[in-house]
Amino acid sequence: MVYIASHIVRPASNGVVQSGGRRGRPLLFLPETNPLRAKTVEDREILELIDPVADSIGLSIVRVRLMGGTLRRRLQVMAERPSDNDIDVGECARLSRAMSEVLDAADPIAGEYLLEVSSPGIDRPLTRLKDFDLFEGLEARLESDRMIEGRKRFKGILAGTDGDNIAIDLDGEDDTALIPFDWLVDAKLVMNDALLKRGAAIRAARGEPEDDGLPEGTPEDQNNAKTSEDDA
């Protein structure tokens, strides 16, 4: 379940997959800025501003996306507690207020925009190298920024990491493939029975109900549950 606190903010101013086993040697590659956490220059500027804000209240930014046109844009920020990779509505609202103060002062976004703060969700994006170890054994979809053995999209079971490479047991292949982390432009867990059971087990361990009654659905992530929207 994803929890979202939304606030309208008005700024003050107008390679190759290496088969042959887990320890195979991947092709060398040039270092590049990875877009999984922040895709554009604007995203990266915003992330630089809000990363320390989240850290100061015990949270971690998973992903930043500034979307939409020039008239009304949407700034989506996914965050979590490092301890259990989750977040609640109160923490979303607290982070939203703290970020709003910094963003209003720095004014990195021209015009009006809608700020959304949410958890990464069940079928979450994988944006940091450690995520691929944390969610080892679960199914994921990956997309690279270049052709790898004739394709850019891959689906399979995560097998952790090997150095700076993602290990994944691809569908229909016997060997574990290694894909350089810096080649990825998108990575996300696949919603399936195994993932749903994992989420149910986590909720049960916390003593949480199966259904908290929050509504489902947002424009980008259909599993997101919108909980509040305040005009600033």
Side-chain angles (χ1 to χ4, degrees), residues 16 22 24-27 29 129 132-133 159-168 177-184:
V16 174
R22 175 74 176 273
R25 182 176 61 84
L27 198 67
F29 60 96
L129 188 61
F132 296 88
D133 285 321
T161 60
D162 186 355
D164 292 330
N165 305 295
I166 306 306
I168 182 170
L178 295 178
I179 300 177
F181 175 71
D182 284 349
W183 287 10
L184 296 180

Side-chain angles (χ1 to χ4, degrees), residues 9 11 14 42 66-74 109-114:
V9 178
N14 282 343
E42 284 182 299
L66 182 60
M67 298 168 284
T70 57
L71 295 179
R72 187 64 172 277
R73 309 182 77 182
R74 183 161 62 100
I109 306 171
E112 296 186 355
Y113 62 97
L114 178 68

Side-chain angles (χ1 to χ4, degrees), residues 109-149:
I109 306 171
E112 296 186 355
Y113 62 97
L114 178 68
L115 172 60
E116 293 184 352
V117 182
S118 74
S119 83
I122 298 176
D123 53 340
R124 58 176 294 144
L126 306 169
T127 62
R128 299 155 299 187
L129 188 61
K130 66 179 183 179
D131 291 342
F132 296 88
D133 285 321
L134 182 64
F135 298 101
E136 182 175 354
L138 296 174
E139 189 175 23
R141 286 191 176 92
L142 311 180
E143 182 177 349
S144 65
D145 64 357
R146 66 202 72 188
M147 297 296 289
I148 301 175
E149 295 189 350

Side-chain angles (χ1 to χ4, degrees), residues 4-227:
I4 290 183
S6 300
H7 303 268
I8 293 178
V9 178
R10 295 179 175 86
S13 65
N14 282 343
V16 174
V17 175
Q18 181 73 28
S19 298
R22 175 74 176 273
R23 298 300 172 185
R25 182 176 61 84
L27 198 67
L28 293 176
F29 60 96
L30 297 175
E32 298 177 357
T33 301
N34 195 284
L36 296 176
R37 289 186 74 211
K39 181 179 290 186
T40 67
V41 172
E42 284 182 299
D43 292 343
R44 293 193 289 272
E45 290 175 350
I46 293 168
L47 180 62
E48 186 176 355
L49 288 170
I50 66 176
D51 245 343
V53 175
D55 185 64
S56 70
I57 57 177
L59 298 173
S60 177
I61 302 297
V62 175
R63 193 182 76 177
V64 173
R65 289 289 187 272
L66 182 60
M67 298 168 284
T70 57
L71 295 179
R72 187 64 172 277
R73 309 182 77 182
R74 183 161 62 100
L75 175 58
Q76 183 192 70
V77 178
M78 293 183 177
E80 65 184 9
R81 295 184 297 266
S83 59
D84 60 2
N85 307 106
D86 202 357
I87 192 171
D88 60 36
V89 175
E91 289 168 319
C92 282
R94 184 183 178 194
L95 178 58
S96 181
R97 290 191 295 268
M99 288 193 309
S100 294
E101 293 181 5
V102 172
L103 293 174
D104 283 351
D107 197 11
I109 306 171
E112 296 186 355
Y113 62 97
L114 178 68
L115 172 60
E116 293 184 352
V117 182
S118 74
S119 83
I122 298 176
D123 53 340
R124 58 176 294 144
L126 306 169
T127 62
R128 299 155 299 187
L129 188 61
K130 66 179 183 179
D131 291 342
F132 296 88
D133 285 321
L134 182 64
F135 298 101
E136 182 175 354
L138 296 174
E139 189 175 23
R141 286 191 176 92
L142 311 180
E143 182 177 349
S144 65
D145 64 357
R146 66 202 72 188
M147 297 296 289
I148 301 175
E149 295 189 350
R151 56 176 172 163
K152 291 185 176 182
R153 294 180 176 85
F154 308 88
K155 181 181 176 183
I157 303 299
L158 295 178
T161 60
D162 186 355
D164 292 330
N165 305 295
I166 306 306
I168 182 170
D169 297 324
L170 297 174
D171 290 351
E173 297 190 13
D174 295 330
D175 296 322
T176 298
L178 295 178
I179 300 177
F181 175 71
D182 284 349
W183 287 10
L184 296 180
V185 293
D186 191 41
K188 188 176 182 180
L189 293 180
V190 173
M191 182 70 78
N192 55 25
D193 289 343
L195 191 59
L196 290 172
K197 289 178 180 178
R198 180 182 184 274
I202 291 173
R203 290 193 298 272
R206 294 173 179 165
E208 297 175 0
E210 284 294 313
D211 183 359
D212 58 13
L214 293 175
E216 299 262 344
T218 64
E220 186 181 29
D221 297 286
Q222 291 301 312
N223 63 309
N224 286 0
K226 190 171 183 179
T227 60

